[in-house]
Amino acid sequence: MSTSSGDETMTLDAASERVGIVVRTKDRPAMLARALDDILSQRFEDWRAVIVNDGGDSAAVDRVIAAVRVAARGRISAVHRSDSKGRSAAANIGVQALTGDYVVLHDDDDLWHPDFLAATVDWLDRNPGDGGVVARTEIVYERETATGFEETGRVPFWPALTAITYAELLQVNRFVPIAYLYRRSLHDEVGYYREDVHAAEDWEFNLRVAARHPIGFLGGQVLAYWMQRPNSTGALGNSMFLLESEHEYYDRRIRDEALRAYVAGHGDGLALFLARYVQDEVSRQLDERRTIGQRLVGAARRRWRARRMR
């Protein structure tokens, strides 16, 4: 097992793995240790993992890796970044350091069912037209304790989901990285994660993939666990909570870029029509929910405003 320091990426010694696992981490050694135990518990064993230490304590990461050296059998390495470059850059560094057929981002705070890799690899082997496959996911709430982490509750993530479609991805991201195994060749086709949209890099990448390829869905047993700590801050916080405002900002930015690209090629006629249509339709539906008295008051106010404007 080898590691590297500084800003240079590295390729793992063995190049024959079926699955390349990217683990993004920064100053969370307890979570990293749990994540590596989780990976080592997979029934499917033909994998290599690269830990991308995004500006955190390199000695702490190396100690975690050393603790699993025997069980890992040379399948785990690390890239240490001297400065934090963000989630998107860390993902790209990890992907570029691996050569397997399939890729998955296993962030240091999330977990898998022991059959996750076996089931998702089997799906992609049997469905060569799919760009990737998503496993059914559960949100697991937890809190830190003096001895580790304690589960406080669970809820299904998109429980009614039966398929991954491009149309629904346009509305909102329907899956998280821990649940998604995909073909590494997609990066050759559509590019890497955008490093200028670091709070929404997975959704933006998913859109590029889904526009070209179907994405499969394993809808049976829960195989992925999205761990959340709503009350944690600092290093132990979740990006969805700590970066909530950035998620919203980059969501709007991605949509605005796409709209401008469409208008540049097709004109603004459809965009103008839909913008007004949606506004009128929302107003109509809200109006239907009002009582007769509320409607009469609203109509009177509109007439009063109209007279004042004359």
Side-chain angles (χ1 to χ4, degrees):
M1 175 179 4
S2 61
T3 61
S4 72
S5 300
D7 290 340
E8 294 300 321
T9 61
M10 40 134 299
T11 302
L12 302 180
D13 295 336
S16 60
E17 77 273 7
R18 296 295 314 284
V19 175
I21 304 171
V22 179
V23 182
R24 298 180 287 191
T25 192
K26 181 183 179 183
D27 291 332
R28 304 201 291 196
M31 285 186 171
L32 178 60
R34 183 177 70 171
L36 295 189
D37 285 341
D38 182 59
I39 293 170
L40 288 166
S41 297
Q42 287 296 295
R43 184 164 59 84
F44 181 90
E45 296 187 336
D46 191 3
W47 53 261
R48 296 291 184 273
V50 60
I51 300 167
V52 182
N53 175 25
D54 188 34
D57 182 356
S58 59
V61 171
D62 289 340
R63 284 194 295 271
V64 172
I65 296 175
V68 298
R69 185 183 304 275
V70 174
R73 303 196 305 273
R75 293 177 293 172
I76 300 173
S77 290
V79 175
H80 296 298
R81 302 286 293 184
S82 58
D83 298 310
S84 177
K85 301 297 184 183
R87 294 160 44 87
S88 305
N92 288 337
I93 289 167
V95 170
Q96 291 163 8
L98 294 162
T99 58
D101 298 329
Y102 305 134
V103 174
V104 60
L105 304 185
H106 187 309
D107 286 334
D108 61 4
D109 57 341
D110 293 325
L111 297 172
W112 284 331
H113 184 281
D115 288 330
F116 173 84
L117 286 181
T120 53
V121 168
D122 177 68
W123 177 282
L124 291 183
D125 284 348
R126 291 186 294 105
N127 296 274
D130 286 357
V133 61
V134 174
R136 187 166 294 285
T137 305
E138 200 166 50
I139 298 173
V140 180
Y141 297 108
E142 63 179 358
R143 65 183 180 90
E144 186 185 19
T145 67
T147 58
F149 301 95
E150 177 183 75
E151 181 180 324
T152 60
R154 295 185 177 216
V155 294
F157 183 55
W158 294 111
L161 192 65
T162 58
I164 304 298
T165 67
Y166 181 59
E168 289 184 319
L169 281 177
L170 289 172
Q171 298 172 351
V172 65
N173 204 4
R174 300 285 171 159
F175 55 93
V176 287
I178 191 64
Y180 183 41
L181 182 77
Y182 63 92
R183 301 184 191 279
R184 193 193 183 286
S185 59
L186 291 175
H187 288 295
D188 299 325
E189 182 179 352
V190 305
Y192 289 90
Y193 293 98
R194 279 184 55 178
E195 298 184 10
D196 61 334
V197 291
H198 68 275
E201 76 283 350
D202 54 332
W203 175 56
E204 194 277 336
F205 176 72
N206 296 341
L207 286 175
R208 280 184 278 146
V209 171
R212 299 186 181 209
H213 301 282
I215 296 175
F217 179 62
L218 285 165
Q221 181 180 12
V222 172
L223 296 175
Y225 306 102
W226 185 16
M227 314 299 287
Q228 295 188 13
R229 296 163 302 285
N231 298 319
S232 295
T233 58
L236 292 180
N238 287 100
S239 65
M240 71 163 295
F241 300 115
L242 298 181
L243 301 178
E244 182 178 3
S245 61
E246 293 191 37
H247 278 284
E248 178 66 18
Y249 169 78
Y250 286 110
D251 179 287
R252 291 178 178 273
R253 175 177 164 182
I254 290 166
R255 294 179 190 279
D256 204 49
E257 288 178 357
L259 181 60
R260 288 200 305 272
Y262 178 86
V263 168
H266 303 278
D268 59 3
L270 181 61
L272 286 170
F273 169 79
L274 288 177
R276 183 54 187 261
Y277 175 82
V278 171
Q279 179 184 15
D280 290 346
E281 179 63 16
V282 169
S283 296
R284 182 189 67 79
Q285 292 185 25
L286 290 174
D287 190 59
E288 287 182 351
R289 297 179 184 179
R290 297 188 180 101
T291 65
I292 294 177
Q294 289 173 326
R295 294 182 192 178
L296 290 174
V297 170
R301 287 175 176 171
R302 287 192 293 272
R303 288 194 296 270
W304 178 79
R305 284 195 296 266
R307 286 197 297 269
R308 295 212 19 148
M309 293 176 63
R310 292 175 184 169

